Amino acid sequence: MTVSQRLREAARPIWDRCLSHPFVLGLGGGTLPVEKFQYFMLQDYLYLFDYARVFALGVVKARDGALMRVFARNVEAILDGEMEIHRTYMARLGIAEEEVLAVRPALDNLSYTHYMLSAAGRGGPAEITASILACSWSYAEIGQTLAKIPGAADHPFYGEWIRGYASEDYAAANQALIDLMDRLAAKASAEQMADLEEIFVNCSRYELGFWDMAWEMRP
């Protein structure tokens, strides 16, 4: 079992709950109330800034130029790629970016990003990647799962979100992170491996909590 497979297996019960979450099912069925989706997109947009900062810590802590470039490319991909999906939806909802940045992050959002930044700050590139991977990988699985629902990817409003996370480009970027995780932790000690698993599972728990937060529109 590879490192990434071990991490994925440890988080399986949590990810199963994410895939069957009413918010996620509402996306796939096109029945999600727009106000819940708007709340989610605003919070997720704020989340992505700190997500990019976690990658940026990888640039700081990398010991060689090649690894620095890997983390740097991911910072760019988030700020100029993944966040573009959010900007498109904001435009469709009539929300200016200035309005988005005036939104206060929800407590669940703050807790999640602070945990990631803490894990990245005390660890090295492997710990940074473990804290990042739960988000990237779970969204890839959710996007690919929802895209299999007849008509979901063609939904006039939610289809763009589903297509973005089910796309080949997103899958390739996520696979690159999985491969990076396996490479960085290939010689991890039992103690480090336990720490990586704890980080990954905790971030998976935060992912589930983020869906709960969005569904309930918690402040």
Side-chain angles (χ1 to χ4, degrees):
M1 185 178 288
T2 65
V3 170
S4 60
Q5 287 171 339
R6 175 175 169 176
L7 298 179
R8 175 65 181 85
E9 189 59 31
R12 180 177 298 280
I14 305 166
W15 285 26
D16 286 347
R17 291 174 64 189
C18 289
L19 286 166
S20 62
H21 196 281
F23 190 102
V24 174
L25 295 179
L27 281 172
T31 59
L32 182 70
V34 173
E35 62 269 20
K36 291 184 184 292
F37 183 73
Q38 178 174 314
Y39 172 90
F40 164 74
M41 291 298 280
L42 290 170
Q43 290 295 323
D44 199 44
Y45 192 77
L46 298 177
Y47 165 88
L48 286 174
F49 281 110
D50 278 335
Y51 190 63
R53 290 184 179 100
V54 177
F55 274 109
L57 283 171
V59 178
V60 174
K61 297 198 172 193
R63 297 294 183 90
D64 62 82
L67 186 55
M68 288 179 70
R69 284 190 289 273
V70 169
F71 284 118
R73 283 196 296 269
N74 277 280
V75 174
E76 182 180 10
I78 293 164
L79 296 178
D80 296 329
E82 187 170 358
M83 293 179 83
E84 190 57 35
I85 297 176
H86 295 65
R87 295 187 189 103
T88 300
Y89 272 109
M90 297 312 161
R92 294 174 70 178
L93 292 165
I95 302 171
E97 186 170 13
E98 294 76 15
E99 295 177 79
V100 179
L101 298 178
V103 172
R104 294 183 64 179
L107 189 61
D108 295 272
N109 195 349
L110 284 173
S111 179
Y112 186 4
T113 57
H114 284 195
Y115 177 80
M116 284 196 302
L117 288 164
S118 174
R122 66 177 171 79
E127 288 73 22
I128 289 169
T129 305
S131 70
I132 286 164
L133 188 56
C135 177
S136 173
W137 198 351
S138 66
Y139 270 55
E141 288 204 8
I142 287 169
Q144 291 162 16
T145 299
L146 295 185
K148 295 175 183 177
I149 299 173
D154 297 320
H155 188 275
F157 190 70
Y158 297 126
E160 183 178 357
W161 190 93
I162 293 170
R163 291 193 301 272
Y165 289 105
S167 69
E168 292 183 4
D169 286 346
Y170 189 83
N174 178 67
Q175 186 60 51
L177 286 177
I178 293 172
D179 294 342
L180 179 64
M181 183 75 265
D182 287 335
R183 186 165 71 252
L184 291 175
K187 297 181 180 179
S189 65
E191 181 180 6
Q192 185 185 20
M193 191 61 232
D195 189 41
L196 294 173
E197 186 174 311
E198 181 180 26
I199 292 170
F200 187 83
V201 169
N202 281 342
C203 286
S204 297
R205 292 170 62 197
Y206 274 118
E207 282 295 317
L208 178 59
F210 207 97
W211 294 120
D212 287 339
M213 175 198 75
W215 180 250
E216 298 169 15
M217 299 177 65
R218 292 199 296 251

